[in-house]
Amino acid sequence: MAAKKLRRAQLSQEMCERLSRYQITTCQDFLCLSLLELMKVTGQSYYEVQKLLCKVSRACAPKMQTAYEMKQRKSVNPSSAFLSTTLHSLDRVLRGGVPCGSLTEITSPPGCGKTQFCIMVSVLATLPVSMGGLDGAVIYIDTESAFSAERLVEIAANRFPAYFDSDEKLFCMTSSIHLYRELTCCSVLKRIMSLEEEIISKKVKLIVIDSVASVVRKEFDTKLQGNLAERSNFLTRGASVLKYLAEEFSIPVILTNQITTSLSSGPMIQADLVSPADDLSLSE
Amino acid sequence: MQREVGTLPLAPALRARLAAAGFQTAQELLDTGPCGLSKEIGISREEALEALQVVRQECQGDAARTAGESGATRRCTALELLEEEQTQGFIITFCSALDNILGGGVQLTKITEICGAPGVGKTQLCMQLAVDVQIPECFGGVAGEAVFIDTEGSFLVDRVVDIAAACVQHCHLIAEAQQEQDHRKALETFSLENILSHIYYFRCCDYIELLAQVYLLPEFLSEHSKVRLVVIDGIAFPFRHDFEDLSLRTRLLNGLAQQLIIIANDHKSAVVLTNQMTTRIGQSQSTLVPALGESWGHAATVRLIFHWDNSQRLATLYKSPSQKESTIAYHITSHGFRDVQPPAATHSAEGTERNPRKRPRTEEEEH
């Protein structure tokens, strides 16, 4: 929305040409200026500039919906709102399962089973809707090289022996799980940015990122002053793109996080306090 | 009429020409007339006429102001303000401890900011307020509608349905206990569908959409004049990434704050913003402070900070012009935002209450 060119915002041709002389070509450039600056660059009076602002804003602003319309839309298709994890008590607590359309974060100390959970959920997503799955492909972004294809096949064969009774079915399932190995923050971000087209072309119904914390902790040492801002920048950018993808395509996004110790200002005995690593930025 | 030409809201190029031609006051322009003006400074007659209309409009506004009428500047005595404040409604939060420390609830015409770590209940409170603003007047509410601007995507309709259902049920219980005619009439329109249809939801994905939406808000609010609450859930989120130029960010945020103050005053509505927390690395330790910097702290009139204490959620009133700093505990139940314990029965006999609109606190049948 921000990169929308002004001529698509229905400004007149001469106005667009005039503004482009000041390097103002997108709605973002236009809306970031104050009223006085706008008067100077457009050469219009105060009231005219306000009308122009309203015009450009209308081109960028989101559409209004009432909460009632949202509820109606949801109630039309209730079954697709969750991906059941097949663990009944977990599904009960989550009120149905992993929600579609939002980000879910899984956190634990090492060895508790985050990657195993991700692998299992990937299998579940490829199952047909009648069996509680989403009948779609999976994008699995692996930053720790912990994904094991053999384990994937083992889980599928043992969990659903009736469904995966032939090699062909297993082959079909494994070919719909797309694995990407990204080892730096930069490449993870680039991959996230490029997901939109892949989701449409491959009919993806689940995104798993395992794990965000490992790349962030490798590259950013929070004791150094400048790093906190860059780390927060990377995390919020990634989060906002993932949120957009989750909402736009109504698919679940699963992220895993690691545990770190939060040392309070008291004596070092309190070192067994644990809290998720990037709690402040990512889970918003 | 002695207004200088340089202060008129005309196009800058036009102003420059007028100054070069020697015009100094607005009166001179009006005396010259459109044809004379067009000949002297070399513009078309239509442009000259437009300019003169702008000048005339400005001068009329000035004259009204100097004559003491309420023009664009709001002038009134403190006594009038006091009377206005006393009759003004508050938006209750259903947590009476929180309402008490706020002085009755979330105030109209003021900006309230809620800061807190993730998961502490900011969005829950916003959803609660979006339902509570619609409570009819006979139950002590302001009977308004709500605008919900969401930048983080944490608005869940199902949760709002739960909160609204609990609120409707609560009002039914009060109506049964008090058996008044207008209660029953109000309850006919206070239903789940009505509540949901009067929450206007906008999903802004980046800061440009947020800026654009706030520019369009005054128009929207004049069309929907019953709106009494504007919630912006996540004012920090779109501004925390992709901003190499921090001075631009400060400028945009200040502009946003000013527009929100104008909206709050003109349309008599409460503006509620939620903010994130960030870590400030000090010498020996790091502390959690509200995000967006020090200068943003001046934008809100009332600041609430939500935080955890072991497993209890606490709310601290951090900044308020009329109430003192205090901390209370609150709960988030399946019905929404609530007190930790049910409020005491003595609340119903509050003689010190000057506000006739405040809902009398009867003994709540616990949900």
Coordinates of all heavy atoms in Angstrom, one line a residue, chain A residues 1-2 28 31-32 34 37 39 43-47 53-54 57-58 60-68 70-71 74 95 228 233 236-237 240 243 247 265 279-280 283-284, chain B residues 9-12 58 118 152-153 155 157-158 161-162 193 196-197 199-204 207-209 212-213 215-216 219 237 240-242 248 251-252 276 279 281 285 288:
Chain A
M1 N 0.8 -1.2 0.0 CA 0.0 0.0 0.0 C 0.9 1.2 0.0 O 0.5 2.2 -0.7 CB -0.9 0.0 1.3 CG -2.2 -0.7 1.1 SD -3.2 -0.1 -0.2 CE -3.9 -1.5 -0.9
A2 N 2.0 1.2 0.7 CA 2.8 2.4 0.8 C 3.4 2.7 -0.5 O 3.6 3.9 -0.8 CB 3.8 2.2 1.9
Q28 N 3.6 7.0 0.0 CA 4.4 7.1 1.3 C 5.1 8.4 1.3 O 5.1 9.1 2.4 CB 5.4 6.0 1.3 CG 6.3 5.9 2.5 CD 7.0 4.7 2.6 OE1 6.9 3.8 1.8 NE2 7.9 4.6 3.6
L31 N 2.5 11.2 2.1 CA 1.9 11.3 3.5 C 2.9 11.6 4.5 O 2.6 12.0 5.7 CB 1.2 10.0 3.8 CG -0.1 9.8 3.0 CD1 -0.7 8.5 3.3 CD2 -1.1 10.9 3.3
C32 N 4.2 11.5 4.2 CA 5.2 11.7 5.3 C 5.5 13.2 5.4 O 6.3 13.6 6.3 CB 6.5 11.0 5.0 SG 6.4 9.3 5.4
S34 N 4.7 17.3 6.0 CA 3.8 18.1 6.8 C 3.0 19.0 5.8 O 3.3 19.1 4.7 CB 4.5 19.0 7.8 OG 5.3 19.9 7.1
E37 N 5.0 21.8 4.1 CA 5.8 21.3 3.0 C 5.0 20.9 1.8 O 5.4 21.1 0.6 CB 6.6 20.0 3.5 CG 7.7 20.4 4.4 CD 8.3 19.1 5.1 OE1 7.7 18.0 4.9 OE2 9.3 19.2 5.7
M39 N 2.2 22.3 0.9 CA 1.8 23.5 0.2 C 2.9 24.0 -0.7 O 2.7 24.4 -1.8 CB 1.5 24.6 1.2 CG 0.1 24.5 1.8 SD -0.1 25.6 3.2 CE -0.2 27.1 2.3
G43 N 2.2 23.8 -4.5 CA 1.8 25.2 -4.9 C 0.3 25.4 -4.8 O -0.2 26.3 -5.5
Q44 N -0.3 24.7 -3.9 CA -1.8 24.9 -3.7 C -2.0 25.6 -2.4 O -1.2 25.6 -1.5 CB -2.5 23.5 -3.7 CG -2.3 22.7 -4.9 CD -3.2 23.1 -6.0 OE1 -4.4 23.4 -5.7 NE2 -2.8 23.1 -7.2
S45 N -3.3 26.1 -2.2 CA -3.6 26.7 -0.9 C -3.8 25.6 0.1 O -4.0 24.4 -0.2 CB -4.8 27.6 -1.1 OG -6.0 26.7 -1.2
Y46 N -3.9 26.1 1.4 CA -4.1 25.2 2.5 C -5.3 24.3 2.4 O -5.2 23.1 2.6 CB -4.3 26.1 3.7 CG -4.3 25.5 5.1 CD1 -3.2 25.0 5.7 CD2 -5.5 25.3 5.8 CE1 -3.2 24.4 6.9 CE2 -5.5 24.7 7.0 CZ -4.4 24.3 7.6 OH -4.4 23.7 8.8
Y47 N -6.4 24.8 2.0 CA -7.6 24.0 1.9 C -7.5 23.0 0.8 O -8.0 21.8 0.9 CB -8.9 24.8 1.7 CG -9.1 25.8 2.9 CD1 -8.9 27.2 2.7 CD2 -9.3 25.4 4.1 CE1 -9.0 28.1 3.7 CE2 -9.5 26.3 5.2 CZ -9.3 27.6 5.0 OH -9.4 28.5 6.0
L53 N -4.8 15.6 0.5 CA -4.4 14.7 1.5 C -5.5 13.6 1.7 O -5.2 12.4 1.8 CB -4.2 15.4 2.8 CG -2.7 15.6 3.3 CD1 -2.7 16.3 4.6 CD2 -2.1 14.2 3.5
C54 N -6.7 14.1 1.7 CA -7.8 13.1 1.9 C -7.9 12.2 0.7 O -8.1 11.0 0.8 CB -9.1 13.9 2.0 SG -9.4 14.5 3.7
S57 N -5.1 9.7 1.0 CA -5.3 8.8 2.1 C -6.4 7.8 1.7 O -6.3 6.6 2.1 CB -5.8 9.6 3.3 OG -4.9 10.5 3.7
R58 N -7.4 8.2 1.0 CA -8.4 7.3 0.6 C -7.8 6.1 -0.3 O -8.3 5.0 -0.2 CB -9.5 7.9 -0.2 CG -10.8 8.0 0.5 CD -11.9 8.7 -0.4 NE -11.6 10.1 -0.5 CZ -12.2 11.0 0.3 NH1 -13.0 10.6 1.2 NH2 -11.9 12.2 0.1
C60 N -4.9 4.9 0.1 CA -4.1 4.0 1.0 C -4.8 3.3 2.1 O -4.4 2.3 2.6 CB -2.9 4.7 1.6 SG -1.8 5.4 0.5
A61 N -5.9 3.9 2.5 CA -6.5 3.5 3.8 C -7.2 2.1 3.6 O -7.6 1.8 2.6 CB -7.5 4.5 4.3
P62 N -7.2 1.3 4.7 CA -7.8 0.0 4.6 C -9.3 0.1 4.6 O -9.9 1.2 4.9 CB -7.4 -0.7 6.0 CG -7.1 0.5 6.9 CD -6.6 1.6 6.0
K63 N -10.0 -0.9 4.2 CA -11.4 -1.0 4.1 C -12.0 -1.2 5.5 O -11.4 -1.8 6.3 CB -11.8 -2.1 3.2 CG -13.0 -1.9 2.3 CD -13.3 -3.1 1.5 CE -13.4 -4.3 2.3 NZ -14.8 -4.9 2.3
M64 N -13.2 -0.6 5.7 CA -13.8 -0.8 7.0 C -14.7 -2.0 7.0 O -15.3 -2.3 6.0 CB -14.7 0.5 7.2 CG -15.2 0.6 8.6 SD -16.8 -0.2 9.0 CE -17.9 1.0 8.1
Q65 N -14.6 -2.8 8.1 CA -15.6 -3.9 8.3 C -16.2 -3.7 9.7 O -15.4 -3.3 10.6 CB -15.0 -5.2 8.2 CG -13.7 -5.3 7.4 CD -12.9 -6.6 7.7 OE1 -13.5 -7.6 7.9 NE2 -11.6 -6.5 7.7
T66 N -17.4 -4.1 9.9 CA -17.9 -4.1 11.3 C -17.6 -5.5 11.8 O -17.4 -6.5 11.1 CB -19.4 -3.9 11.3 OG1 -20.0 -5.0 10.7 CG2 -19.8 -2.6 10.7
A67 N -17.5 -5.6 13.2 CA -17.2 -6.9 13.8 C -18.2 -7.9 13.5 O -18.0 -9.1 13.4 CB -17.1 -6.7 15.3
Y68 N -19.5 -7.4 13.2 CA -20.5 -8.4 12.8 C -20.3 -9.0 11.5 O -20.4 -10.2 11.3 CB -21.9 -7.6 12.8 CG -23.1 -8.4 12.7 CD1 -23.3 -9.4 13.6 CD2 -24.0 -8.3 11.6 CE1 -24.4 -10.2 13.5 CE2 -25.1 -9.1 11.5 CZ -25.3 -10.0 12.4 OH -26.4 -10.8 12.3
M70 N -17.4 -9.6 10.2 CA -16.3 -10.5 10.4 C -16.8 -11.8 11.0 O -16.4 -12.9 10.6 CB -15.2 -9.9 11.4 CG -14.5 -8.8 10.8 SD -13.5 -7.9 12.0 CE -12.2 -9.1 12.3
K71 N -17.7 -11.7 12.0 CA -18.2 -12.9 12.6 C -19.0 -13.7 11.6 O -18.9 -14.9 11.5 CB -19.1 -12.5 13.8 CG -19.8 -13.7 14.4 CD -20.3 -13.3 15.8 CE -21.3 -14.4 16.3 NZ -22.6 -14.3 15.8
K74 N -16.8 -15.6 9.4 CA -16.2 -16.8 10.0 C -17.1 -17.9 10.2 O -16.8 -19.1 10.0 CB -15.7 -16.4 11.4 CG -14.2 -15.9 11.5 CD -13.7 -15.9 12.9 CE -12.3 -16.2 12.9 NZ -11.8 -16.4 14.3
R95 N -8.7 -24.5 22.2 CA -10.1 -24.3 21.7 C -10.2 -24.7 20.2 O -10.8 -24.0 19.4 CB -10.5 -22.8 21.8 CG -10.4 -22.4 23.3 CD -11.7 -22.2 23.9 NE -12.1 -20.8 23.8 CZ -13.2 -20.2 24.2 NH1 -14.1 -21.0 24.7 NH2 -13.4 -19.0 24.1
L228 N 20.8 -4.0 19.5 CA 19.4 -4.2 19.9 C 18.4 -3.6 18.9 O 17.4 -4.2 18.6 CB 19.2 -3.6 21.3 CG 18.0 -4.0 22.0 CD1 18.0 -5.5 22.2 CD2 17.8 -3.3 23.4
N233 N 14.6 -4.5 14.7 CA 14.1 -4.2 13.3 C 13.9 -5.5 12.5 O 12.8 -5.7 11.9 CB 15.3 -3.4 12.6 CG 14.7 -2.7 11.4 OD1 13.5 -2.7 11.2 ND2 15.6 -2.0 10.7
T236 N 10.7 -7.4 13.9 CA 9.4 -6.8 13.6 C 9.1 -6.9 12.1 O 8.0 -7.1 11.7 CB 9.3 -5.4 14.1 OG1 10.5 -4.7 13.9 CG2 9.0 -5.3 15.6
R237 N 10.2 -6.7 11.3 CA 9.9 -6.8 9.9 C 9.4 -8.2 9.5 O 8.4 -8.4 8.8 CB 11.1 -6.5 9.1 CG 11.3 -5.1 8.7 CD 12.5 -4.9 7.9 NE 12.3 -5.1 6.5 CZ 13.2 -5.0 5.6 NH1 14.5 -4.8 6.0 NH2 12.9 -5.2 4.4
S240 N 5.9 -8.8 10.8 CA 4.8 -8.1 10.1 C 4.5 -8.8 8.8 O 3.3 -9.0 8.4 CB 5.0 -6.6 10.0 OG 6.0 -6.4 9.1
K243 N 2.7 -12.0 9.6 CA 1.3 -11.8 10.0 C 0.4 -11.5 8.8 O -0.7 -12.0 8.7 CB 1.2 -10.6 10.9 CG 1.4 -10.9 12.3 CD 1.0 -9.7 13.2 CE 1.9 -9.4 14.3 NZ 1.2 -9.6 15.5
E247 N -2.7 -13.8 7.7 CA -4.1 -13.3 7.5 C -4.6 -13.4 6.1 O -5.8 -13.7 5.9 CB -4.1 -11.8 8.0 CG -4.1 -11.7 9.5 CD -4.0 -10.3 9.9 OE1 -4.2 -9.4 9.1 OE2 -3.6 -10.1 11.1
S265 N 18.4 -8.2 38.7 CA 19.5 -7.5 39.3 C 19.9 -8.0 40.6 O 20.8 -7.5 41.3 CB 19.0 -6.0 39.4 OG 17.8 -6.0 40.1
D279 N 11.1 -12.5 23.4 CA 9.7 -12.3 23.8 C 9.2 -10.9 23.5 O 8.1 -10.7 23.1 CB 9.6 -12.5 25.3 CG 10.6 -11.7 26.1 OD1 11.0 -10.6 25.7 OD2 11.1 -12.3 27.1
L280 N 10.0 -9.9 23.6 CA 9.5 -8.5 23.5 C 9.1 -8.1 22.1 O 8.2 -7.3 22.0 CB 10.5 -7.5 24.1 CG 10.7 -7.6 25.6 CD1 11.8 -6.8 26.0 CD2 9.4 -7.2 26.2
S283 N 6.4 -11.8 19.7 CA 5.0 -12.4 20.0 C 4.0 -11.3 20.0 O 2.8 -11.6 20.3 CB 5.0 -13.1 21.4 OG 5.7 -12.3 22.3
E284 N 4.3 -10.1 19.6 CA 3.2 -9.0 19.5 C 2.3 -9.3 18.3 O 2.8 -9.5 17.2 CB 3.9 -7.7 19.3 CG 4.6 -7.2 20.6 CD 3.7 -6.8 21.7 OE1 2.5 -6.7 21.5 OE2 4.2 -6.6 22.8
Chain B
P9 N -3.8 31.7 4.1 CA -3.5 30.3 3.6 C -3.6 30.2 2.1 O -4.3 29.4 1.5 CB -4.6 29.5 4.3 CG -5.7 30.5 4.4 CD -5.1 31.8 4.7
L10 N -2.9 31.0 1.3 CA -2.9 30.9 -0.1 C -1.7 30.1 -0.6 O -0.8 29.8 0.2 CB -2.8 32.4 -0.7 CG -3.9 33.3 -0.4 CD1 -3.5 34.7 -0.7 CD2 -5.1 32.9 -1.1
A11 N -1.7 29.8 -1.9 CA -0.5 29.0 -2.4 C 0.7 29.9 -2.3 O 0.7 31.1 -2.4 CB -0.8 28.7 -3.9
P12 N 1.8 29.2 -2.0 CA 3.1 30.0 -1.7 C 3.5 30.8 -2.9 O 4.0 32.0 -2.7 CB 4.1 28.9 -1.4 CG 3.3 27.7 -1.1 CD 2.0 27.8 -1.7
E58 N -11.2 33.8 5.5 CA -10.3 34.0 6.6 C -10.7 35.2 7.5 O -10.7 35.1 8.7 CB -8.9 34.2 6.1 CG -8.2 32.9 5.8 CD -8.1 32.0 7.0 OE1 -7.6 32.4 8.1 OE2 -8.6 30.8 6.9
P118 N 4.1 -8.3 26.2 CA 3.1 -9.1 25.5 C 2.3 -10.1 26.4 O 2.9 -10.6 27.3 CB 4.0 -9.9 24.5 CG 5.3 -9.4 24.7 CD 5.4 -8.4 25.7
E152 N -1.8 -4.9 14.7 CA -1.1 -6.1 15.0 C -1.8 -7.4 14.6 O -1.3 -8.5 14.6 CB -0.8 -6.2 16.5 CG 0.1 -5.1 16.9 CD 0.3 -5.1 18.4 OE1 -0.5 -5.9 19.1 OE2 1.1 -4.4 18.9
G153 N -3.1 -7.3 14.3 CA -3.9 -8.5 14.0 C -4.3 -9.3 15.1 O -4.6 -10.5 15.0
F155 N -7.0 -8.8 17.0 CA -8.5 -8.7 17.3 C -9.1 -10.0 16.9 O -9.1 -10.4 15.7 CB -9.0 -7.5 16.4 CG -10.5 -7.2 16.6 CD1 -10.9 -6.4 17.7 CD2 -11.4 -7.7 15.8 CE1 -12.2 -6.1 17.9 CE2 -12.8 -7.4 15.9 CZ -13.2 -6.6 17.0
V157 N -12.7 -12.0 16.7 CA -14.1 -11.7 16.8 C -14.7 -12.6 17.9 O -15.6 -12.2 18.6 CB -14.8 -11.9 15.5 CG1 -16.2 -11.5 15.5 CG2 -14.1 -11.2 14.4
D158 N -14.3 -13.9 17.9 CA -14.9 -14.8 18.9 C -14.8 -14.3 20.3 O -15.7 -14.5 21.1 CB -14.2 -16.2 18.7 CG -14.4 -16.8 17.4 OD1 -15.5 -16.6 16.8 OD2 -13.5 -17.3 16.8
V161 N -17.2 -11.7 20.9 CA -18.5 -12.3 21.1 C -18.7 -12.7 22.6 O -19.7 -12.4 23.2 CB -18.7 -13.4 20.2 CG1 -19.9 -14.3 20.5 CG2 -18.9 -12.9 18.7
D162 N -17.7 -13.3 23.1 CA -17.7 -13.8 24.5 C -17.9 -12.6 25.5 O -18.8 -12.6 26.4 CB -16.4 -14.5 24.9 CG -16.3 -15.9 24.3 OD1 -17.3 -16.4 23.9 OD2 -15.2 -16.4 24.3
E193 N -25.9 -8.8 18.2 CA -25.7 -8.3 16.8 C -25.5 -6.9 16.7 O -24.6 -6.4 16.0 CB -27.0 -8.7 15.9 CG -27.1 -10.1 15.6 CD -27.8 -10.9 16.7 OE1 -28.7 -10.3 17.3 OE2 -27.4 -12.0 17.0
L196 N -22.0 -5.9 17.9 CA -20.9 -6.3 16.9 C -21.0 -5.3 15.7 O -20.0 -5.0 15.1 CB -21.1 -7.7 16.4 CG -20.7 -8.7 17.5 CD1 -20.8 -10.1 16.9 CD2 -19.2 -8.5 17.9
S197 N -22.2 -4.9 15.3 CA -22.3 -4.1 14.1 C -21.9 -2.7 14.4 O -21.7 -1.9 13.4 CB -23.8 -4.0 13.6 OG -24.6 -5.0 14.0
I199 N -19.1 -1.9 16.0 CA -17.6 -1.9 16.2 C -17.1 -1.8 14.8 O -17.2 -2.8 14.0 CB -17.1 -3.1 16.9 CG1 -17.7 -3.2 18.3 CG2 -15.6 -3.0 17.0 CD1 -17.2 -4.4 19.1
Y200 N -16.5 -0.7 14.4 CA -16.0 -0.5 13.1 C -14.5 -0.8 13.1 O -13.7 -0.2 13.7 CB -16.2 1.0 12.6 CG -17.6 1.4 12.7 CD1 -18.1 2.3 13.7 CD2 -18.6 0.9 11.9 CE1 -19.4 2.7 13.8 CE2 -19.9 1.2 12.0 CZ -20.3 2.1 12.9 OH -21.6 2.5 13.1
Y201 N -14.1 -1.8 12.3 CA -12.8 -2.4 12.4 C -12.0 -2.0 11.1 O -12.4 -2.2 10.0 CB -12.9 -3.9 12.5 CG -11.7 -4.7 12.5 CD1 -10.9 -4.7 13.7 CD2 -11.2 -5.3 11.4 CE1 -9.7 -5.4 13.7 CE2 -10.0 -6.0 11.4 CZ -9.3 -6.1 12.6 OH -8.1 -6.8 12.6
F202 N -10.7 -1.5 11.4 CA -9.8 -1.2 10.3 C -8.5 -2.0 10.5 O -8.0 -1.9 11.6 CB -9.5 0.3 10.2 CG -10.7 1.1 10.0 CD1 -11.4 1.6 11.0 CD2 -11.0 1.5 8.7 CE1 -12.5 2.4 10.8 CE2 -12.1 2.3 8.4 CZ -12.8 2.8 9.5
R203 N -8.0 -2.7 9.5 CA -6.8 -3.4 9.7 C -5.7 -2.7 8.9 O -5.7 -2.7 7.7 CB -6.9 -4.9 9.2 CG -5.7 -5.6 9.2 CD -5.3 -6.1 10.6 NE -4.2 -7.0 10.6 CZ -2.9 -6.7 10.8 NH1 -2.6 -5.5 11.0 NH2 -2.0 -7.7 10.8
C204 N -4.7 -2.1 9.7 CA -3.7 -1.3 9.0 C -2.4 -2.1 9.0 O -2.0 -2.5 10.1 CB -3.4 0.0 9.7 SG -4.8 1.1 9.6
Y207 N 2.7 1.7 8.5 CA 2.5 3.0 9.1 C 1.8 3.9 8.2 O 1.1 4.9 8.6 CB 3.8 3.6 9.7 CG 4.8 4.1 8.7 CD1 4.8 5.4 8.3 CD2 5.7 3.2 8.2 CE1 5.7 5.9 7.4 CE2 6.6 3.7 7.2 CZ 6.6 5.0 6.9 OH 7.6 5.4 6.0
I208 N 2.0 3.7 6.9 CA 1.3 4.6 5.9 C -0.2 4.4 5.9 O -0.9 5.4 5.9 CB 1.9 4.3 4.5 CG1 3.3 4.8 4.4 CG2 1.1 5.0 3.4 CD1 3.5 6.3 4.5
E209 N -0.6 3.1 6.0 CA -2.0 2.9 6.1 C -2.6 3.5 7.4 O -3.7 4.1 7.4 CB -2.3 1.4 6.1 CG -2.2 0.8 4.7 CD -2.6 -0.6 4.7 OE1 -3.4 -1.1 5.5 OE2 -2.2 -1.4 3.8
A212 N -2.8 7.3 6.9 CA -3.9 7.6 6.0 C -5.3 7.4 6.7 O -6.1 8.3 6.5 CB -3.9 6.6 4.7
Q213 N -5.4 6.4 7.5 CA -6.7 6.2 8.2 C -6.9 7.3 9.2 O -8.1 7.7 9.3 CB -6.6 4.8 8.9 CG -7.9 4.4 9.5 CD -9.0 4.4 8.5 OE1 -8.9 3.9 7.4 NE2 -10.1 5.1 8.9
Y215 N -5.9 10.4 8.9 CA -6.3 11.5 8.2 C -7.8 11.5 7.8 O -8.5 12.5 7.7 CB -5.5 11.6 6.9 CG -4.2 12.3 7.0 CD1 -3.0 11.7 6.5 CD2 -4.0 13.6 7.6 CE1 -1.8 12.3 6.7 CE2 -2.8 14.2 7.8 CZ -1.7 13.5 7.3 OH -0.4 14.1 7.4
L216 N -8.3 10.2 7.5 CA -9.6 10.1 7.1 C -10.6 10.0 8.2 O -11.8 10.0 8.0 CB -9.8 8.9 6.2 CG -9.1 8.9 4.9 CD1 -9.3 7.6 4.1 CD2 -9.7 10.0 4.0
E219 N -13.5 12.7 8.9 CA -14.7 12.5 8.0 C -15.5 11.4 8.4 O -16.8 11.5 8.4 CB -14.1 12.3 6.6 CG -15.0 12.7 5.5 CD -14.4 12.2 4.1 OE1 -13.3 12.6 3.9 OE2 -15.1 11.5 3.5
F237 N 3.8 -0.9 16.9 CA 4.3 -1.9 16.0 C 4.7 -1.5 14.6 O 5.8 -1.8 14.1 CB 3.2 -3.0 15.9 CG 3.6 -4.2 15.1 CD1 4.6 -5.0 15.6 CD2 2.9 -4.6 14.0 CE1 5.0 -6.1 14.8 CE2 3.3 -5.7 13.2 CZ 4.4 -6.4 13.7
R240 N 8.1 0.5 14.5 CA 9.4 0.0 15.1 C 10.3 -0.6 14.1 O 11.4 -1.1 14.4 CB 9.0 -1.0 16.2 CG 8.5 -0.3 17.4 CD 8.4 -1.3 18.5 NE 9.6 -1.5 19.2 CZ 9.8 -2.4 20.2 NH1 8.8 -3.1 20.5 NH2 10.9 -2.5 20.8
H241 N 9.9 -0.7 12.8 CA 10.8 -1.3 11.9 C 10.9 -0.4 10.6 O 10.0 0.3 10.4 CB 10.5 -2.7 11.5 CG 9.1 -2.9 11.0 ND1 8.8 -3.0 9.6 CD2 7.9 -2.9 11.5 CE1 7.5 -3.2 9.4 NE2 6.9 -3.1 10.6
D242 N 11.9 -0.6 9.8 CA 12.0 0.2 8.6 C 12.1 1.7 8.8 O 11.6 2.4 7.9 CB 10.8 -0.1 7.6 CG 11.0 -1.5 7.0 OD1 12.2 -2.0 7.1 OD2 10.0 -2.1 6.5
L248 N 12.3 11.5 11.4 CA 11.0 11.4 10.7 C 9.9 10.7 11.5 O 8.8 11.1 11.6 CB 11.2 10.7 9.3 CG 9.9 10.4 8.5 CD1 9.3 11.7 8.1 CD2 10.2 9.5 7.3
R251 N 8.6 13.0 14.1 CA 7.7 14.0 13.5 C 6.4 13.4 13.2 O 5.3 13.9 13.5 CB 8.3 14.5 12.2 CG 7.5 15.6 11.6 CD 8.3 16.6 10.9 NE 9.0 16.1 9.8 CZ 8.4 16.0 8.6 NH1 7.3 16.5 8.4 NH2 9.1 15.5 7.6
L252 N 6.4 12.2 12.6 CA 5.1 11.5 12.2 C 4.3 11.2 13.5 O 3.1 11.4 13.5 CB 5.3 10.3 11.4 CG 5.9 10.5 10.0 CD1 6.1 9.1 9.3 CD2 5.0 11.3 9.2
Q276 N 3.9 -0.9 23.1 CA 4.7 -2.0 23.5 C 5.8 -1.6 24.5 O 5.9 -0.4 24.8 CB 5.4 -2.6 22.3 CG 4.5 -3.2 21.3 CD 5.2 -3.6 20.1 OE1 6.4 -3.4 19.9 NE2 4.5 -4.3 19.2
T279 N 13.3 -2.7 25.9 CA 14.3 -2.8 26.9 C 15.3 -1.6 26.8 O 15.8 -1.4 25.7 CB 15.2 -4.1 26.8 OG1 14.5 -5.0 26.0 CG2 15.5 -4.7 28.1
I281 N 18.8 -0.5 27.9 CA 20.0 -1.1 28.6 C 20.7 0.0 29.3 O 21.2 0.9 28.8 CB 21.0 -1.7 27.5 CG1 20.2 -2.5 26.5 CG2 22.1 -2.5 28.1 CD1 20.4 -3.9 26.6
Q285 N 22.1 -2.7 34.6 CA 20.9 -3.6 34.4 C 20.0 -3.0 33.3 O 20.3 -1.9 32.8 CB 20.1 -3.6 35.7 CG 19.8 -2.2 36.2 CD 18.8 -2.1 37.3 OE1 17.9 -2.9 37.4 NE2 19.0 -1.2 38.2
L288 N 12.5 -2.3 31.6 CA 11.5 -2.3 30.6 C 10.9 -0.9 30.6 O 10.4 -0.4 31.7 CB 10.4 -3.3 30.9 CG 10.7 -4.7 30.5 CD1 9.5 -5.6 30.7 CD2 11.0 -4.8 29.0

